[in-house]
Short mmCIF file of all heavy atoms in Angstrom, two decimals:
data_model
loop_
_atom_site.label_atom_id
_atom_site.label_comp_id
_atom_site.label_asym_id
_atom_site.label_seq_id
_atom_site.Cartn_x
_atom_site.Cartn_y
_atom_site.Cartn_z
N ILE A 1411 50.35 40.24 13.05
CA ILE A 1411 50.56 40.53 11.63
C ILE A 1411 49.37 41.31 11.04
O ILE A 1411 48.99 41.15 9.90
CB ILE A 1411 50.86 39.26 10.82
CG1 ILE A 1411 49.70 38.24 10.99
CG2 ILE A 1411 52.16 38.58 11.22
CD1 ILE A 1411 49.75 37.13 9.90
N GLN A 1412 48.80 42.13 11.98
CA GLN A 1412 47.80 43.09 11.52
C GLN A 1412 46.42 42.52 11.08
O GLN A 1412 45.77 43.16 10.32
CB GLN A 1412 48.34 44.00 10.40
CG GLN A 1412 49.16 45.17 10.90
CD GLN A 1412 50.65 44.87 10.79
OE1 GLN A 1412 51.09 44.32 9.80
NE2 GLN A 1412 51.37 45.14 11.88
N VAL A 1413 46.09 41.39 11.50
CA VAL A 1413 44.68 40.91 11.29
C VAL A 1413 43.82 41.54 12.32
O VAL A 1413 44.15 41.50 13.53
CB VAL A 1413 44.56 39.37 11.41
CG1 VAL A 1413 43.12 38.95 11.16
CG2 VAL A 1413 45.47 38.72 10.38
N THR A 1414 42.73 42.20 11.98
CA THR A 1414 41.90 42.87 12.90
C THR A 1414 40.90 41.92 13.61
O THR A 1414 39.66 42.13 13.57
CB THR A 1414 41.08 44.00 12.26
OG1 THR A 1414 40.40 43.44 11.13
CG2 THR A 1414 41.99 45.11 11.80
N GLU A 1415 41.50 40.92 14.29
CA GLU A 1415 40.63 40.02 15.08
C GLU A 1415 40.43 40.63 16.42
O GLU A 1415 40.67 41.82 16.68
CB GLU A 1415 41.18 38.59 15.09
CG GLU A 1415 42.67 38.50 15.37
CD GLU A 1415 42.95 38.94 16.74
OE1 GLU A 1415 42.64 38.17 17.70
OE2 GLU A 1415 43.54 40.03 16.90
N LEU A 1416 39.80 39.81 17.31
CA LEU A 1416 39.32 40.34 18.60
C LEU A 1416 40.37 41.07 19.39
O LEU A 1416 40.18 42.19 19.84
CB LEU A 1416 38.82 39.16 19.44
CG LEU A 1416 38.06 39.47 20.73
CD1 LEU A 1416 36.93 40.41 20.45
CD2 LEU A 1416 37.53 38.18 21.31
N THR A 1417 41.58 40.46 19.54
CA THR A 1417 42.61 41.09 20.31
C THR A 1417 43.09 42.43 19.74
O THR A 1417 43.29 43.42 20.44
CB THR A 1417 43.79 40.12 20.49
OG1 THR A 1417 43.34 38.86 20.93
CG2 THR A 1417 44.79 40.60 21.49
N ALA A 1418 43.22 42.41 18.41
CA ALA A 1418 43.59 43.62 17.71
C ALA A 1418 42.59 44.77 17.92
O ALA A 1418 42.99 45.89 18.23
CB ALA A 1418 43.79 43.35 16.22
N GLU A 1419 41.32 44.43 17.79
CA GLU A 1419 40.26 45.44 18.04
C GLU A 1419 40.42 45.99 19.48
O GLU A 1419 40.25 47.22 19.68
CB GLU A 1419 38.88 44.86 17.85
CG GLU A 1419 38.55 44.47 16.40
CD GLU A 1419 38.32 45.72 15.51
OE1 GLU A 1419 38.44 46.83 16.05
OE2 GLU A 1419 38.09 45.55 14.33
N GLY A 1420 40.71 45.13 20.45
CA GLY A 1420 40.86 45.56 21.79
C GLY A 1420 42.00 46.51 21.91
O GLY A 1420 41.88 47.57 22.59
N LYS A 1421 43.10 46.15 21.34
CA LYS A 1421 44.26 46.97 21.38
C LYS A 1421 43.96 48.33 20.80
O LYS A 1421 44.37 49.37 21.25
CB LYS A 1421 45.42 46.27 20.63
CG LYS A 1421 46.79 46.82 20.88
CD LYS A 1421 47.38 46.39 22.20
CE LYS A 1421 48.63 47.09 22.54
NZ LYS A 1421 49.66 47.20 21.53
N PHE A 1422 43.21 48.33 19.67
CA PHE A 1422 42.89 49.55 18.99
C PHE A 1422 41.97 50.46 19.87
O PHE A 1422 42.29 51.67 20.01
CB PHE A 1422 42.10 49.13 17.70
CG PHE A 1422 41.73 50.28 16.84
CD1 PHE A 1422 42.72 50.95 16.04
CD2 PHE A 1422 40.42 50.74 16.74
CE1 PHE A 1422 42.36 51.99 15.25
CE2 PHE A 1422 40.10 51.83 15.96
CZ PHE A 1422 41.06 52.47 15.21
N ILE A 1423 40.96 49.84 20.41
CA ILE A 1423 40.07 50.67 21.32
C ILE A 1423 40.86 51.21 22.45
O ILE A 1423 40.77 52.45 22.83
CB ILE A 1423 38.92 49.80 21.83
CG1 ILE A 1423 38.06 49.36 20.61
CG2 ILE A 1423 38.06 50.58 22.85
CD1 ILE A 1423 37.05 48.26 21.02
N ALA A 1424 41.68 50.34 23.05
CA ALA A 1424 42.53 50.85 24.23
C ALA A 1424 43.42 51.96 23.85
O ALA A 1424 43.60 52.89 24.68
CB ALA A 1424 43.27 49.62 24.82
N ALA A 1425 44.04 51.87 22.73
CA ALA A 1425 44.96 52.88 22.28
C ALA A 1425 44.23 54.31 22.20
O ALA A 1425 44.85 55.32 22.35
CB ALA A 1425 45.61 52.54 20.98
N HIS A 1426 42.95 54.24 21.91
CA HIS A 1426 42.20 55.50 21.78
C HIS A 1426 41.63 55.95 23.08
O HIS A 1426 41.43 57.20 23.28
CB HIS A 1426 41.08 55.31 20.74
CG HIS A 1426 41.61 55.32 19.34
ND1 HIS A 1426 41.65 56.45 18.55
CD2 HIS A 1426 42.15 54.34 18.59
CE1 HIS A 1426 42.20 56.16 17.38
NE2 HIS A 1426 42.52 54.91 17.37
N THR A 1427 41.25 55.09 23.95
CA THR A 1427 40.54 55.41 25.15
C THR A 1427 41.41 55.32 26.42
O THR A 1427 41.06 55.80 27.48
CB THR A 1427 39.35 54.48 25.41
OG1 THR A 1427 39.82 53.16 25.52
CG2 THR A 1427 38.38 54.59 24.24
N PHE A 1428 42.56 54.68 26.32
CA PHE A 1428 43.50 54.46 27.39
C PHE A 1428 42.84 53.56 28.50
O PHE A 1428 43.28 53.64 29.63
CB PHE A 1428 44.02 55.76 28.00
CG PHE A 1428 44.78 56.54 27.01
CD1 PHE A 1428 44.26 57.65 26.33
CD2 PHE A 1428 46.09 56.13 26.65
CE1 PHE A 1428 44.97 58.32 25.41
CE2 PHE A 1428 46.83 56.87 25.73
CZ PHE A 1428 46.27 57.92 25.08
N ARG A 1429 41.81 52.84 28.15
CA ARG A 1429 41.19 52.04 29.21
C ARG A 1429 41.56 50.54 28.95
O ARG A 1429 40.79 49.74 28.62
CB ARG A 1429 39.64 52.23 29.18
CG ARG A 1429 39.31 53.74 29.43
CD ARG A 1429 37.85 53.97 29.19
NE ARG A 1429 37.10 53.34 30.29
CZ ARG A 1429 35.79 53.68 30.47
NH1 ARG A 1429 35.23 54.56 29.74
NH2 ARG A 1429 35.17 53.11 31.52
N TYR A 1430 42.88 50.37 29.10
CA TYR A 1430 43.46 49.02 28.85
C TYR A 1430 42.84 47.95 29.73
O TYR A 1430 42.50 46.88 29.23
CB TYR A 1430 44.97 49.01 29.09
CG TYR A 1430 45.69 49.78 27.99
CD1 TYR A 1430 46.07 51.14 28.19
CD2 TYR A 1430 46.05 49.14 26.83
CE1 TYR A 1430 46.73 51.79 27.15
CE2 TYR A 1430 46.73 49.81 25.82
CZ TYR A 1430 47.02 51.16 25.99
OH TYR A 1430 47.75 51.81 25.02
N LEU A 1431 42.75 48.24 31.05
CA LEU A 1431 42.28 47.23 31.98
C LEU A 1431 40.85 46.74 31.63
O LEU A 1431 40.60 45.54 31.54
CB LEU A 1431 42.34 47.74 33.43
CG LEU A 1431 42.12 46.71 34.48
CD1 LEU A 1431 43.17 45.65 34.45
CD2 LEU A 1431 42.12 47.37 35.89
N GLU A 1432 39.96 47.75 31.40
CA GLU A 1432 38.57 47.35 31.11
C GLU A 1432 38.51 46.58 29.81
O GLU A 1432 37.87 45.53 29.78
CB GLU A 1432 37.69 48.62 30.97
CG GLU A 1432 37.43 49.32 32.28
CD GLU A 1432 38.31 50.52 32.43
OE1 GLU A 1432 39.50 50.45 32.04
OE2 GLU A 1432 37.84 51.51 32.94
N ILE A 1433 39.14 47.07 28.78
CA ILE A 1433 39.00 46.49 27.51
C ILE A 1433 39.57 45.05 27.44
O ILE A 1433 38.93 44.12 26.97
CB ILE A 1433 39.55 47.38 26.34
CG1 ILE A 1433 39.01 46.89 24.99
CG2 ILE A 1433 41.05 47.35 26.32
CD1 ILE A 1433 37.61 47.26 24.79
N PHE A 1434 40.73 44.93 28.08
CA PHE A 1434 41.35 43.55 28.02
C PHE A 1434 40.62 42.59 29.01
O PHE A 1434 40.62 41.37 28.73
CB PHE A 1434 42.86 43.63 28.28
CG PHE A 1434 43.57 44.17 27.10
CD1 PHE A 1434 44.45 45.30 27.23
CD2 PHE A 1434 43.41 43.62 25.85
CE1 PHE A 1434 45.05 45.78 26.16
CE2 PHE A 1434 44.05 44.10 24.71
CZ PHE A 1434 44.88 45.22 24.91
#
Side-chain angles (χ1 to χ4, degrees):
Chain A
I1411 58 165
Q1412 277 99 45
V1413 177
T1414 51
E1415 46 66 74
L1416 189 55
T1417 309
E1419 291 288 0
K1421 195 79 193 307
F1422 183 75
I1423 297 168
H1426 284 265
T1427 59
F1428 297 103
R1429 300 174 71 165
Y1430 287 95
L1431 189 61
E1432 289 100 321
I1433 196 73
F1434 286 125

